[in-house]
């Protein structure tokens, strides 16, 4: 099982999250590529540290929306979206290459991630960027999403990920953040869900039932002090249970 | 001899210059990388066309200054400047790679070009980016500049370029644009100077003497209708004289 | 009747449209405020020229999307959208004030214009900015739009505008640009439609019928050479018919 | 005596400093206007809070340099700089007006502040913006600076400010931050210096002598936890000594 988290999400003078703490926990780092966060100097630092710790580097590509942190849905035409993803992929790759490594996977960020879970047009545009850049690069996304289907149709590997701190619907979708109880905060509960997802491929749903989630990675948030504690609890639970943690890519 | 020109300097809805005309003339295209011009979709189009015509692709890296078109000197600290260049290099490389080619050289743009002609600190920062990214990548710059010295010191190849439409001082420097007569407009005169620079490595100075210019490339501007005519005149003169035109990289 | 057009839509080194020609034609100038186009120096020049010619200045507010020229729909949360509009309104006002004038109206641009024609939430957010800034400022928009309703609900004056070069549906909506025939190019036809809208408040629809359009302004595009000719044809037709042209605000 | 501090220096998702704590301490708030920090929603919040607490609002205008936080010197041509300042002034004014207040003064930020302390051309460009916008608006700057002279020459009021936590040279200039001891951290020492500057108009220099500083405001930094404690210590010392604190504008 892989543990992934968003890193390098500062911008210039502004910082966000505790990257050093997270790099001790995760096996894959989704590095911001400059469109929602991540100026070049921040990318440089983040990539160097990740490489030093043997953490795999993924391109956390986004809509071009610094002020909105990439969290606002945008109707970017497909050809522009493909170009946006290519641009970010290449930019990050330069730092990975300079640090003696390379970009191992792509994970869209924020509103783009959510959009391509359901929108086949934008999903295909993102996948097209990967196909043109390097068809061997996997896409990290939601199991059963439009993105996963678009990847499959293009012969790109798609890797499913789970969210131990998010409530799931009976269909295996994430409960909207607007609903109460959508985000879980209790470290024990989150760690237990992570362990079950990792070992059994199942998770309890909001309705009290359970649903299969075919995942090879667990996403861990780290942009708050509490989130780092949660991340450590998940890692500890998996370690204790003997789950082998390694980058999927 | 190589002929280089700035291409892809539009941004989103805005266009600049006649790229298609220039691609018929030049052997090397300095493609804007997004910091002074060149959004991802424009880069994509520009790179595809250059590759189709067999024109070599260079990274026209700049200070981050869209509104000033990269023409305003900035005190960017060296580590940030190195990261800025790496970012742009990689971004452009993604499109070159997707088009079946690669970035062949680096040519700084505007204020950065002028700054590193004289400032050893920023010159070294630009060269450091090349060294970290790919030490085999040549830097296209002014003969005798601080940039050329910094490249030499780091074991990076520096390629000198000449400007047939610019007046030269006795020291082989470009006359400042603020001086009258700094820019030449007569196609015959410009073509004659280009030919002499290409075949004899010498150019007439503002004082009426002449100076040696060790160049392997001639820079041609194309952002005005007149400039395209000038570019064609230079190309024609070189062709007639039997000067073999090919990318230096 | 008022004639309005988008002006000042260059950005830094990039220019767009023939502002000087349009300023001879229109009575109201929708000046870009920096979010989709219009850097400060361009705004300054545009506002000075408009004031010199006695053309009324309106704030052409947009989503923050330079690279997309404000033409891409964005899910900007209402409070952020209100702040975005306030910011742009004030920025433009500074130049109007410095030129001895003031901002007379608000006209949203591109995707924002289209979005608030149908989306009551974003429409209310735009109107809220006007209410907070100056409730006496009219909003220029599509007759019958959500924006018009939101303005009415907030006690803000809404002014309807028509498009002589656009096809109308039987409901009085603009035909989507994706449909063939959505944009008209024949100067005589466009001028005739403009005249009829101005004098009779009616326009022919795509189905061959006609529909009432309650307008006090006609929008004229000027970003292509042909568009300027069209604008002049419209103006000439209205002048010949004795329609008095003056800013609505 | 006035106490001023930089506020609203977050951007979108990123926050910086403890604005609420500082608003309890200062009498004037230098509000970031979007060019180095301060997106519209952040400006809106910051201005509302300042107005609620009766703190005067000043425009903290900057070079356009988000990624460099306005701390990098830029060769912005005078006409462009004047337009940049007008733009920011107006943008901030919209929020002040919407909150029932107005902009009371201008304080340039970071590299622009330092540049116009010595550069008469950029200083005049900033002053020209104030003159065109509202000649009654004072400029907050370093005593004896080029900015102060430019203001005087244009009939704009210039208000001198002191820095209790910065070392001064014998000429009454701030010691460069690159020198050791340039920034003082001991709250008692800083408070004592503030008190002396406020009551006697003198401050000890790095050489052990002292120099006159003609100030009507003290600048207080608040972007670190320690800085807030320092700010409170300064305020407490002035309060104890019976120095009346009120906005200069």
């Amino acid at each position: 099982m892989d543990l992934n988290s968003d890193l390098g999400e500062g911008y210039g003078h502004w910082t966000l999250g505790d990257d050093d703490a997270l790099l001790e926990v995760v096996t894959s780092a989704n590095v911001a590529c400059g469109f929602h966060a991540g100026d070049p100097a921040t990318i440089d630092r983040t990539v160097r540290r990740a490489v030093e710790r043997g953490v795999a580097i993924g391109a956390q590509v986004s809509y071009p929306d610094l002020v909105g942190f990439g969290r606002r849905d945008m109707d970017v035409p497909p050809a522009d979206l493909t170009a946006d993803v290519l641009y970010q992929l290449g930019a990050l790759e330069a730092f990975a290459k300079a640090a003696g490594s390379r970009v191992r996977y792509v994970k869209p960020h924020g509103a783009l991630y959510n959009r391509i879970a359901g929108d086949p047009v934008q999903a295909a545009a993102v996948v097209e960027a990967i196909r043109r850049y390097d068809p061997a690069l996997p896409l990290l996304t939601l199991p059963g999403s439009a993105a996963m289907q678009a990847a499959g149709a293009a012969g790109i590997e798609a890797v499913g990920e789970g969210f131990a701190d998010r409530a799931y619907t009976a269909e295996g979708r994430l409960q909207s953040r607007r609903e109460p109880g959508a985000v879980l905060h209790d470290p024990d509960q989150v760690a237990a869900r992570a362990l079950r997802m990792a070992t059994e491929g199942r998770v309890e749903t909001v309705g009290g039932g359970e649903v299969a989630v075919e995942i090879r990675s667990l996403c861990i948030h780290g942009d708050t002090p509490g989130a780092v504690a949660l991340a450590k609890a998940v890692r500890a639970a998996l370690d204790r249970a003997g789950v082998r943690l390694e980058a999927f890519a």
Side-chain angles (χ1 to χ4, degrees), chain A:
Chain A
M1 184 61 39
D2 170 75
L3 290 180
N4 79 79
S5 188
D6 297 342
L7 276 99
E9 291 192 307
Y11 192 74
H13 193 53
W14 298 287
T15 55
L16 193 76
D18 184 349
D19 281 12
D20 287 329
L22 282 170
L23 281 169
E24 302 297 327
V25 174
V26 300
T27 46
S28 292
N30 319 316
V31 181
C33 299
F35 274 38
H36 78 284
D39 62 291
T42 294
I43 297 176
D44 198 10
R45 259 194 315 276
T46 306
V47 166
R48 284 174 190 254
R49 288 181 191 166
V51 170
E52 281 166 17
R53 285 167 181 78
V55 171
I57 294 163
Q60 192 192 357
V61 298
S62 168
Y63 290 132
D65 183 17
L66 270 184
V67 71
F69 200 65
R71 291 188 170 166
R72 310 186 298 191
D73 198 12
M74 286 181 71
D75 277 347
V76 180
D80 292 353
L81 184 53
T82 297
D84 284 351
V85 172
L86 275 169
Y87 187 92
Q88 294 175 80
L89 257 172
L92 181 63
E93 188 82 273
F95 297 95
K97 183 178 171 181
S101 183
R102 59 186 190 79
V103 173
R104 307 277 178 185
Y105 65 95
V106 176
K107 177 174 172 182
H109 163 81
L112 178 58
Y113 185 93
N114 294 331
R115 175 76 172 250
I116 67 171
D119 176 351
V121 175
Q122 288 207 5
V126 170
V127 165
E128 170 67 1
I130 300 176
R131 194 195 60 73
R132 288 182 58 198
Y133 185 73
D134 179 1
L137 222 49
L139 175 69
L140 184 57
T141 183
L142 218 53
S145 62
M148 193 162 264
Q149 292 165 30
I156 304 294
E157 182 187 11
V159 173
E161 67 172 339
F163 296 80
D165 64 347
R166 292 291 301 276
Y168 276 80
T169 68
E171 293 76 35
R173 297 281 168 173
L174 299 181
Q175 177 87 337
S176 164
R177 282 177 185 271
R178 289 182 193 122
E179 303 289 324
V183 181
L184 312 178
H185 298 284
D186 176 50
D188 290 342
Q189 187 190 9
V190 171
R193 285 166 72 90
L195 186 56
R196 189 145 187 244
M197 291 171 93
T199 55
E200 302 175 34
R202 304 190 72 79
V203 68
E204 199 186 334
T205 67
V206 286
E210 58 177 49
V211 65
V213 282
E214 201 174 334
I215 63 169
R216 284 164 56 197
S217 184
L218 279 163
C219 180
I220 284 179
H221 297 106
D223 46 358
T224 60
V228 172
L230 222 61
K232 289 181 177 171
V234 167
R235 167 95 197 201
L238 295 171
D239 282 340
R240 271 195 308 271
V243 176
R244 181 172 168 180
L245 293 174
E246 60 181 348
F248 66 85

